[in-house]
């Protein structure tokens, strides 16, 4: 056995040849495995399927999170809507109470004014009656009797007239 190195042009020893062959075999084995893996369509399909399944699982997870967030938001918005509805209802009740009170005041004022107008009408009617001839007095008595028979209708008409005047007057003041 000679101890010459490979670089000096001498032939390799059998031991060196065995090491080279072993090294080449290992390299060749790795290359064959890589080529086999590249040409193994079934294995590649399985890998791709596993990747797709993983992505689907991620998407499902994100969808579930979005669904949960939507539920939370829906509960929150529903609560806010209920609160707002209660507030609006309460405000409406308050305004209705104010309007009812105002209507009662207007009704009372209308009744008072209707009574005053009725009194004034009776006075004027008495004055006119005193000055009117007998045939006119007879007609007036007939009209007065009809008004007495339908006193409620006359009072309602007077109240409506007074209320309308009050509302018109109030609108003019606001302008």
């Amino acid at each position: 056995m000679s101890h010459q190195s490979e670089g000096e042009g001498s032939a390799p020893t059998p031991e060196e040849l065995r090491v080279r062959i072993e090294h080449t075999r290992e390299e060749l084995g790795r290359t064959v495995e890589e080529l086999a893996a590249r040409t193994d369509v079934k294995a590649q399909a399985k890998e791709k399927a596993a990747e797709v399944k993983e992505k689907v699982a991620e998407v499902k997870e994100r969808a579930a999170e979005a669904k949960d967030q939507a539920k939370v938001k829906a509960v929150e918005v529903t609560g806010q809507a209920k609160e707002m509805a209660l507030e609006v209802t309460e405000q409406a009740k308050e305004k209705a109470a104010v309007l009812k009170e105002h209507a009662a005041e207007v009704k009372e004022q209308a009744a008072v004014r209707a009574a005053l107008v009725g009194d004034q009408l009776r006075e004027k009617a008495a004055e006119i009656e005193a000055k009117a001839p007998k045939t006119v007095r007879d007609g007036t008595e007939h009209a007065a009797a009809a008004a007495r028979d339908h006193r409620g209708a006359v009072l309602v008409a007077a109240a409506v007239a007074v209320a309308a005047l009050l509302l018109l007057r109030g609108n003019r003041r606001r302008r």
Side-chain angles (χ1 to χ4, degrees), residues 15-74:
E15 185 62 32
E16 288 174 345
L17 286 175
R18 274 188 229 121
V19 169
R20 280 186 192 174
I21 290 171
E22 186 61 35
H23 179 68
T24 304
R25 280 183 184 159
E26 287 174 7
E27 232 178 82
L28 185 59
R30 282 193 299 271
T31 304
V32 168
E33 285 176 7
E34 287 177 18
L35 288 173
R38 287 183 190 172
T39 58
D40 189 359
V41 175
K42 188 175 181 181
Q44 288 178 357
K46 284 183 180 179
E47 284 180 28
K48 196 66 169 173
E51 288 176 18
V52 169
K53 282 181 181 179
E54 189 176 311
K55 286 182 181 181
V56 167
E58 289 174 7
V59 168
K60 281 184 178 179
E61 185 177 326
R62 285 195 303 253
E65 289 174 3
K67 180 182 171 185
D68 290 343
Q69 289 174 351
K71 282 182 181 179
V72 168
K73 191 67 173 176

Side-chain angles (χ1 to χ4, degrees), residues 50-101:
E51 288 176 18
V52 169
K53 282 181 181 179
E54 189 176 311
K55 286 182 181 181
V56 167
E58 289 174 7
V59 168
K60 281 184 178 179
E61 185 177 326
R62 285 195 303 253
E65 289 174 3
K67 180 182 171 185
D68 290 343
Q69 289 174 351
K71 282 182 181 179
V72 168
K73 191 67 173 176
V75 168
E76 181 181 318
V77 169
T78 301
Q80 290 173 348
K82 285 180 181 178
E83 287 177 19
M84 289 177 71
L86 287 174
E87 286 180 31
V88 169
T89 301
E90 194 60 37
Q91 290 173 355
K93 285 179 182 178
E94 290 172 5
K95 287 183 181 183
V98 168
L99 288 174
K100 187 176 180 182
E101 185 178 312

